[in-house]
Amino acid sequence: MTAAGLSPTPGFTIAHLSDTHFLGGSAKWGGVIDTDSQVESALRQLKRSGRRPDAIVLTGDLTDLGEPDAYARLRALVEPVADELGAEIVWVMGNHDERGVYSRQLFDQELPGRDEDHPQDRVYDVRGLRIIAFDSTVPGYHHGDIDEAQLRWLAEVLAEPAPHGTLLALHHPPLETPLELMNILQLRHRDELAEVLRGSDVRAILGGHFHYSTFGLFSGIPVSVASATCTTMDLGAPRDELRQIDALRSFSLVHVYPDGITHSTVPVDEYAPLGGFGADVLARIEAMTPDEQLEAFSRKAPPAETP
């Protein structure tokens, strides 16, 4: 399908999910939330869209307690869809994940020595678009941080630009949040991270952790935070409260163009359409010249005359 109007076709499409919080034994999160069905719904929405993402990125808190069965179940849900769509899976560590179990269950790799000594940092090459899964977790804590060894590793990776640039995916986004208690759990050593990223080919940063969709800039780089598929933070709650709700879950679609990137929010819950245009209309418009497209789709209908 060629792009209509003035927009080019994106070179890459990324499906960005976050904070799935799976529990062992298919237990419901908080005794209420069926986390499996929410991820199934998100993947169903993705398939229904007809888009074939180049990668599916999951930015952490994949499980709630780091249980082996929870990772295995999530992997069993995501892998068949990724295979069907031809997408690379990019797993990212979150503060609710455990490094050793994460490595064994998702990568079939045993960690030598102490688990906490092995940040789960990995590099993916998706047709020349580099995606870096960066471990911002602190073993035993929920806030985010990055040590000097990780910063050196990241600088070495970024020293050679990728053909189509880089996306940096980490759980703790380098942004403030209006949820004041959540700022205690924000990413630390951000100035040092900014220094490494300055002048690099990083085109966007993908994060999670906040349980709501938000956007910002860090060191001049766009930051996109995907909401959780588990629960959503209530931004309308009193400022001295931190409250989650069973509603408004979503994931993100990231479209990478030659000279830009867009981030779009897609609801996990399924809704009945109220109107719109079908594929037949789009096909007719795409067959037109740009001027014909403007006349057919942009020109306003004349106002109705009043008697």
Side-chain angles (χ1 to χ4, degrees):
M1 180 182 293
T2 58
L6 302 177
S7 299
T9 300
F12 301 89
T13 299
I14 311 297
H16 176 198
L17 288 74
S18 199
D19 294 86
T20 51
H21 284 273
F22 272 36
L23 286 159
S26 297
K28 293 184 177 181
W29 188 93
V32 176
I33 306 299
D34 183 349
T35 55
D36 297 52
S37 68
Q38 302 301 342
V39 171
E40 288 171 346
S41 178
L43 296 173
R44 189 162 55 247
Q45 296 278 59
L46 178 61
K47 290 171 59 177
R48 187 174 69 180
S49 73
R51 304 182 190 279
R52 298 186 67 84
D54 298 280
I56 300 174
V57 179
L58 297 96
T59 48
D61 281 3
L62 309 174
T63 70
D64 199 58
L65 298 173
E67 298 160 293
D69 170 65
Y71 287 111
R73 217 168 61 253
L74 179 61
R75 185 175 177 180
L77 280 179
V78 177
E79 282 187 346
V81 175
D83 289 342
E84 179 182 344
L85 298 177
E88 178 99 46
I89 302 175
V90 178
W91 305 107
V92 180
M93 272 280 297
N95 49 278
H96 279 267
D97 295 305
E98 297 294 337
R99 287 176 176 173
V101 189
Y102 171 99
S103 179
R104 285 192 297 274
Q105 294 297 319
L106 298 180
F107 299 95
D108 305 313
Q109 296 175 355
E110 288 285 344
L111 298 181
R114 302 189 315 161
D115 291 348
E116 55 265 36
D117 293 336
H118 298 279
Q120 296 298 292
D121 301 325
R122 290 178 172 82
V123 180
Y124 300 79
D125 182 353
V126 181
R127 295 192 297 108
L129 176 68
R130 181 166 54 198
I131 304 178
I132 300 176
F134 202 46
D135 186 351
S136 59
T137 67
V138 180
Y141 291 86
H142 286 300
H143 70 277
D145 207 346
I146 307 163
D147 63 31
E148 292 183 9
Q150 285 183 281
L151 290 169
R152 286 195 301 271
W153 174 86
L154 182 61
E156 290 171 3
V157 171
L158 295 175
E160 181 69 29
H164 297 290
T166 297
L167 303 181
L168 180 65
L170 75 170
H171 182 64
H172 299 83
L175 295 176
E176 279 72 27
T177 167
L179 299 172
E180 295 188 5
L181 287 173
M182 284 294 289
N183 281 315
I184 298 173
L185 307 180
Q186 66 179 259
L187 182 69
R188 303 187 178 191
H189 289 101
R190 289 188 291 179
D191 289 345
E192 292 82 351
L193 176 61
E195 184 61 31
V196 170
L197 298 182
R198 193 168 293 117
S200 74
D201 71 342
V202 174
R203 302 180 62 187
I205 298 171
L206 308 182
H209 190 50
F210 288 166
H211 283 236
Y212 66 92
S213 295
T214 191
F215 307 91
L217 284 176
F218 176 73
S219 192
I221 300 169
V223 180
S224 172
V225 179
S227 184
T229 62
C230 178
T231 60
T232 306
M233 286 295 182
D234 182 3
L235 292 176
R239 63 184 297 273
D240 55 352
E241 293 184 19
L242 196 62
R243 193 162 63 193
Q244 301 190 58
I245 55 176
D246 181 12
L248 304 177
R249 286 170 283 263
S250 64
F251 65 98
S252 297
L253 283 177
V254 182
H255 289 105
V256 182
Y257 296 90
D259 60 352
I261 295 182
T262 66
H263 305 267
S264 307
T265 300
V266 183
V268 168
D269 301 317
E270 299 178 22
Y271 301 97
L274 297 177
F277 300 97
D280 57 330
V281 175
L282 180 59
R284 289 201 304 272
I285 291 176
E286 285 187 328
M288 298 175 181
T289 66
D291 286 342
E292 290 171 336
Q293 289 176 351
L294 283 175
E295 289 301 314
F297 199 66
S298 178
R299 179 179 287 279
K300 294 180 181 181
E305 294 185 7
T306 56

Short mmCIF file of all heavy atoms in Angstrom, two decimals, residues 135-177:
data_model
loop_
_atom_site.label_atom_id
_atom_site.label_comp_id
_atom_site.label_asym_id
_atom_site.label_seq_id
_atom_site.Cartn_x
_atom_site.Cartn_y
_atom_site.Cartn_z
N ASP A 135 19.04 -2.08 30.41
CA ASP A 135 18.55 -2.48 31.73
C ASP A 135 18.75 -1.33 32.73
O ASP A 135 19.87 -1.05 33.15
CB ASP A 135 19.31 -3.73 32.19
CG ASP A 135 18.79 -4.31 33.49
OD1 ASP A 135 17.95 -3.66 34.16
OD2 ASP A 135 19.22 -5.43 33.85
N SER A 136 17.65 -0.69 33.10
CA SER A 136 17.72 0.44 34.04
C SER A 136 17.33 0.02 35.46
O SER A 136 17.07 0.87 36.31
CB SER A 136 16.78 1.56 33.57
OG SER A 136 15.44 1.11 33.48
N THR A 137 17.31 -1.29 35.74
CA THR A 137 16.84 -1.75 37.04
C THR A 137 17.95 -1.78 38.08
O THR A 137 19.14 -1.88 37.76
CB THR A 137 16.22 -3.16 36.94
OG1 THR A 137 17.23 -4.12 36.61
CG2 THR A 137 15.14 -3.18 35.86
N VAL A 138 17.54 -1.71 39.34
CA VAL A 138 18.45 -1.80 40.49
C VAL A 138 18.00 -3.02 41.30
O VAL A 138 16.90 -3.00 41.87
CB VAL A 138 18.39 -0.54 41.36
CG1 VAL A 138 19.33 -0.67 42.55
CG2 VAL A 138 18.70 0.71 40.54
N PRO A 139 18.79 -4.09 41.34
CA PRO A 139 18.36 -5.29 42.06
C PRO A 139 17.93 -4.97 43.49
O PRO A 139 18.63 -4.29 44.24
CB PRO A 139 19.60 -6.18 42.04
CG PRO A 139 20.32 -5.77 40.77
CD PRO A 139 20.10 -4.29 40.68
N GLY A 140 16.73 -5.43 43.85
CA GLY A 140 16.22 -5.21 45.19
C GLY A 140 15.46 -3.91 45.39
O GLY A 140 14.94 -3.66 46.48
N TYR A 141 15.38 -3.07 44.34
CA TYR A 141 14.70 -1.78 44.46
C TYR A 141 13.79 -1.56 43.25
O TYR A 141 13.90 -2.25 42.22
CB TYR A 141 15.72 -0.63 44.54
CG TYR A 141 16.51 -0.63 45.83
CD1 TYR A 141 17.66 -1.40 45.95
CD2 TYR A 141 16.09 0.13 46.92
CE1 TYR A 141 18.38 -1.41 47.13
CE2 TYR A 141 16.81 0.14 48.10
CZ TYR A 141 17.96 -0.65 48.21
OH TYR A 141 18.67 -0.67 49.38
N HIS A 142 12.92 -0.55 43.36
CA HIS A 142 12.01 -0.23 42.26
C HIS A 142 12.42 1.00 41.47
O HIS A 142 11.89 1.22 40.38
CB HIS A 142 10.58 -0.05 42.79
CG HIS A 142 9.91 -1.34 43.16
ND1 HIS A 142 9.71 -2.35 42.25
CD2 HIS A 142 9.41 -1.78 44.34
CE1 HIS A 142 9.09 -3.36 42.85
NE2 HIS A 142 8.91 -3.04 44.12
N HIS A 143 13.34 1.83 41.99
CA HIS A 143 13.77 2.98 41.21
C HIS A 143 14.73 2.53 40.11
O HIS A 143 15.19 1.38 40.09
CB HIS A 143 14.42 4.05 42.10
CG HIS A 143 15.76 3.63 42.64
ND1 HIS A 143 15.90 2.86 43.77
CD2 HIS A 143 17.02 3.90 42.21
CE1 HIS A 143 17.18 2.66 44.03
NE2 HIS A 143 17.88 3.28 43.09
N GLY A 144 15.04 3.45 39.19
CA GLY A 144 15.95 3.13 38.10
C GLY A 144 17.31 3.78 38.27
O GLY A 144 17.44 4.84 38.89
N ASP A 145 18.32 3.14 37.69
CA ASP A 145 19.67 3.70 37.73
C ASP A 145 20.52 3.02 36.66
O ASP A 145 20.14 1.96 36.13
CB ASP A 145 20.31 3.51 39.10
CG ASP A 145 21.35 4.57 39.42
OD1 ASP A 145 21.77 5.29 38.49
OD2 ASP A 145 21.76 4.69 40.59
N ILE A 146 21.64 3.64 36.34
CA ILE A 146 22.56 3.12 35.33
C ILE A 146 23.96 3.26 35.88
O ILE A 146 24.35 4.34 36.35
CB ILE A 146 22.45 3.92 34.01
CG1 ILE A 146 20.99 3.97 33.52
CG2 ILE A 146 23.33 3.31 32.93
CD1 ILE A 146 20.75 5.06 32.50
N ASP A 147 24.75 2.19 35.85
CA ASP A 147 26.09 2.29 36.41
C ASP A 147 27.11 2.68 35.33
O ASP A 147 26.80 2.73 34.14
CB ASP A 147 26.49 1.00 37.13
CG ASP A 147 26.58 -0.21 36.21
OD1 ASP A 147 26.91 -0.04 35.02
OD2 ASP A 147 26.32 -1.34 36.69
N GLU A 148 28.34 2.96 35.79
CA GLU A 148 29.38 3.45 34.87
C GLU A 148 29.71 2.43 33.79
O GLU A 148 29.95 2.79 32.63
CB GLU A 148 30.63 3.82 35.67
CG GLU A 148 30.46 5.04 36.56
CD GLU A 148 31.75 5.41 37.27
OE1 GLU A 148 32.81 4.81 36.92
OE2 GLU A 148 31.72 6.30 38.13
N ALA A 149 29.72 1.15 34.16
CA ALA A 149 30.04 0.12 33.18
C ALA A 149 29.00 0.08 32.07
O ALA A 149 29.34 -0.09 30.88
CB ALA A 149 30.15 -1.24 33.86
N GLN A 150 27.74 0.24 32.43
CA GLN A 150 26.69 0.27 31.41
C GLN A 150 26.83 1.48 30.49
O GLN A 150 26.63 1.38 29.28
CB GLN A 150 25.31 0.29 32.06
CG GLN A 150 24.86 -1.03 32.66
CD GLN A 150 23.46 -0.90 33.22
OE1 GLN A 150 23.28 -0.37 34.33
NE2 GLN A 150 22.47 -1.35 32.47
N LEU A 151 27.16 2.62 31.07
CA LEU A 151 27.32 3.83 30.26
C LEU A 151 28.49 3.68 29.28
O LEU A 151 28.40 4.11 28.13
CB LEU A 151 27.52 5.04 31.17
CG LEU A 151 26.30 5.49 31.96
CD1 LEU A 151 26.69 6.53 33.01
CD2 LEU A 151 25.22 6.05 31.03
N ARG A 152 29.57 3.05 29.74
CA ARG A 152 30.71 2.81 28.84
C ARG A 152 30.29 1.86 27.72
O ARG A 152 30.64 2.07 26.55
CB ARG A 152 31.89 2.22 29.62
CG ARG A 152 32.61 3.23 30.50
CD ARG A 152 33.96 2.69 30.94
NE ARG A 152 33.85 1.44 31.68
CZ ARG A 152 33.68 1.36 33.01
NH1 ARG A 152 33.60 2.48 33.73
NH2 ARG A 152 33.59 0.19 33.61
N TRP A 153 29.55 0.80 28.07
CA TRP A 153 29.08 -0.15 27.07
C TRP A 153 28.19 0.55 26.05
O TRP A 153 28.35 0.34 24.84
CB TRP A 153 28.32 -1.28 27.77
CG TRP A 153 27.66 -2.25 26.83
CD1 TRP A 153 28.23 -3.35 26.25
CD2 TRP A 153 26.31 -2.20 26.34
NE1 TRP A 153 27.32 -3.98 25.44
CE2 TRP A 153 26.14 -3.31 25.47
CE3 TRP A 153 25.23 -1.34 26.56
CZ2 TRP A 153 24.93 -3.57 24.82
CZ3 TRP A 153 24.03 -1.59 25.90
CH2 TRP A 153 23.88 -2.69 25.05
N LEU A 154 27.27 1.39 26.53
CA LEU A 154 26.35 2.09 25.63
C LEU A 154 27.13 3.02 24.70
O LEU A 154 26.85 3.10 23.50
CB LEU A 154 25.32 2.86 26.44
CG LEU A 154 24.26 3.63 25.64
CD1 LEU A 154 23.43 2.67 24.79
CD2 LEU A 154 23.35 4.42 26.59
N ALA A 155 28.10 3.72 25.24
CA ALA A 155 28.90 4.64 24.42
C ALA A 155 29.65 3.88 23.33
O ALA A 155 29.76 4.34 22.19
CB ALA A 155 29.88 5.41 25.31
N GLU A 156 30.15 2.69 23.67
CA GLU A 156 30.86 1.88 22.67
C GLU A 156 29.92 1.41 21.57
O GLU A 156 30.29 1.42 20.38
CB GLU A 156 31.52 0.68 23.36
CG GLU A 156 32.69 1.05 24.26
CD GLU A 156 33.19 -0.13 25.08
OE1 GLU A 156 32.64 -1.24 24.91
OE2 GLU A 156 34.10 0.07 25.91
N VAL A 157 28.71 1.01 21.94
CA VAL A 157 27.74 0.57 20.94
C VAL A 157 27.38 1.72 20.01
O VAL A 157 27.30 1.56 18.78
CB VAL A 157 26.47 0.01 21.62
CG1 VAL A 157 25.37 -0.25 20.59
CG2 VAL A 157 26.78 -1.27 22.38
N LEU A 158 27.15 2.91 20.59
CA LEU A 158 26.70 4.05 19.80
C LEU A 158 27.83 4.73 19.02
O LEU A 158 27.55 5.60 18.18
CB LEU A 158 26.04 5.09 20.71
CG LEU A 158 24.73 4.64 21.39
CD1 LEU A 158 24.25 5.73 22.35
CD2 LEU A 158 23.65 4.34 20.35
N ALA A 159 29.07 4.32 19.27
CA ALA A 159 30.20 4.95 18.58
C ALA A 159 30.12 4.73 17.07
O ALA A 159 30.59 5.56 16.29
CB ALA A 159 31.52 4.40 19.12
N GLU A 160 29.49 3.62 16.64
CA GLU A 160 29.31 3.33 15.23
C GLU A 160 27.84 3.51 14.89
O GLU A 160 26.98 2.75 15.34
CB GLU A 160 29.73 1.89 14.92
CG GLU A 160 29.59 1.49 13.46
CD GLU A 160 30.60 2.20 12.57
OE1 GLU A 160 31.70 2.54 13.07
OE2 GLU A 160 30.27 2.43 11.39
N PRO A 161 27.46 4.54 14.11
CA PRO A 161 26.05 4.76 13.78
C PRO A 161 25.46 3.58 13.01
O PRO A 161 26.16 2.91 12.24
CB PRO A 161 26.08 6.03 12.91
CG PRO A 161 27.39 6.69 13.24
CD PRO A 161 28.34 5.57 13.55
N ALA A 162 24.18 3.34 13.23
CA ALA A 162 23.46 2.30 12.49
C ALA A 162 22.90 2.90 11.20
O ALA A 162 22.66 4.11 11.12
CB ALA A 162 22.33 1.74 13.35
N PRO A 163 22.70 2.07 10.17
CA PRO A 163 22.21 2.61 8.88
C PRO A 163 20.96 3.45 9.00
O PRO A 163 20.81 4.46 8.29
CB PRO A 163 21.97 1.34 8.06
CG PRO A 163 22.95 0.34 8.62
CD PRO A 163 23.01 0.63 10.08
N HIS A 164 20.02 3.04 9.86
CA HIS A 164 18.76 3.79 10.00
C HIS A 164 18.58 4.37 11.40
O HIS A 164 17.47 4.70 11.80
CB HIS A 164 17.58 2.88 9.65
CG HIS A 164 17.59 2.41 8.23
ND1 HIS A 164 17.36 3.26 7.17
CD2 HIS A 164 17.87 1.19 7.70
CE1 HIS A 164 17.46 2.57 6.04
NE2 HIS A 164 17.77 1.32 6.33
N GLY A 165 19.67 4.50 12.14
CA GLY A 165 19.59 5.09 13.47
C GLY A 165 19.26 4.07 14.54
O GLY A 165 19.15 2.86 14.28
N THR A 166 19.04 4.58 15.75
CA THR A 166 18.87 3.73 16.93
C THR A 166 17.64 4.14 17.73
O THR A 166 17.34 5.33 17.87
CB THR A 166 20.12 3.83 17.84
OG1 THR A 166 21.26 3.34 17.13
CG2 THR A 166 19.94 3.06 19.13
N LEU A 167 16.94 3.15 18.26
CA LEU A 167 15.92 3.35 19.29
C LEU A 167 16.46 2.78 20.58
O LEU A 167 16.95 1.65 20.61
CB LEU A 167 14.61 2.64 18.92
CG LEU A 167 13.95 3.00 17.59
CD1 LEU A 167 12.66 2.21 17.42
CD2 LEU A 167 13.67 4.49 17.50
N LEU A 168 16.39 3.56 21.66
CA LEU A 168 16.83 3.11 22.98
C LEU A 168 15.60 2.74 23.79
O LEU A 168 14.72 3.59 24.01
CB LEU A 168 17.64 4.20 23.68
CG LEU A 168 18.15 3.86 25.08
CD1 LEU A 168 19.18 2.74 25.03
CD2 LEU A 168 18.75 5.10 25.75
N ALA A 169 15.50 1.48 24.22
CA ALA A 169 14.34 1.01 24.98
C ALA A 169 14.78 0.67 26.40
O ALA A 169 15.67 -0.17 26.59
CB ALA A 169 13.72 -0.21 24.30
N LEU A 170 14.18 1.33 27.38
CA LEU A 170 14.47 1.06 28.78
C LEU A 170 13.19 1.22 29.59
O LEU A 170 12.26 1.90 29.15
CB LEU A 170 15.58 1.95 29.31
CG LEU A 170 15.30 3.43 29.61
CD1 LEU A 170 16.50 4.03 30.35
CD2 LEU A 170 15.01 4.23 28.38
N HIS A 171 13.15 0.60 30.76
CA HIS A 171 11.91 0.60 31.54
C HIS A 171 11.64 1.96 32.16
O HIS A 171 10.53 2.49 32.07
CB HIS A 171 11.97 -0.46 32.62
CG HIS A 171 10.70 -0.54 33.43
ND1 HIS A 171 9.50 -0.92 32.88
CD2 HIS A 171 10.44 -0.27 34.74
CE1 HIS A 171 8.55 -0.90 33.82
NE2 HIS A 171 9.10 -0.50 34.95
N HIS A 172 12.64 2.54 32.82
CA HIS A 172 12.47 3.80 33.53
C HIS A 172 12.73 4.96 32.57
O HIS A 172 13.87 5.23 32.21
CB HIS A 172 13.43 3.91 34.71
CG HIS A 172 13.25 2.84 35.75
ND1 HIS A 172 13.81 1.58 35.62
CD2 HIS A 172 12.58 2.85 36.94
CE1 HIS A 172 13.51 0.86 36.70
NE2 HIS A 172 12.76 1.60 37.50
N PRO A 173 11.69 5.69 32.15
CA PRO A 173 11.91 6.78 31.19
C PRO A 173 12.61 7.96 31.86
O PRO A 173 12.35 8.27 33.03
CB PRO A 173 10.50 7.15 30.74
CG PRO A 173 9.61 6.73 31.88
CD PRO A 173 10.26 5.54 32.50
N PRO A 174 13.48 8.65 31.13
CA PRO A 174 14.17 9.82 31.71
C PRO A 174 13.29 11.07 31.65
O PRO A 174 13.65 12.09 31.05
CB PRO A 174 15.41 9.94 30.82
CG PRO A 174 14.97 9.42 29.49
CD PRO A 174 13.99 8.32 29.79
N LEU A 175 12.13 10.98 32.29
CA LEU A 175 11.16 12.08 32.32
C LEU A 175 10.61 12.25 33.73
O LEU A 175 10.57 11.28 34.50
CB LEU A 175 9.98 11.79 31.38
CG LEU A 175 10.21 11.69 29.88
CD1 LEU A 175 8.91 11.31 29.18
CD2 LEU A 175 10.77 12.99 29.32
N GLU A 176 10.17 13.47 34.03
CA GLU A 176 9.41 13.69 35.26
C GLU A 176 7.96 13.26 35.02
O GLU A 176 7.52 13.11 33.88
CB GLU A 176 9.45 15.16 35.69
CG GLU A 176 10.70 15.55 36.43
CD GLU A 176 11.93 15.62 35.54
OE1 GLU A 176 11.75 15.88 34.33
OE2 GLU A 176 13.05 15.41 36.03
N THR A 177 7.23 13.09 36.12
CA THR A 177 5.82 12.74 36.04
C THR A 177 5.04 13.58 37.05
O THR A 177 5.56 13.88 38.13
CB THR A 177 5.60 11.23 36.34
OG1 THR A 177 4.20 10.98 36.55
CG2 THR A 177 6.38 10.77 37.55
#
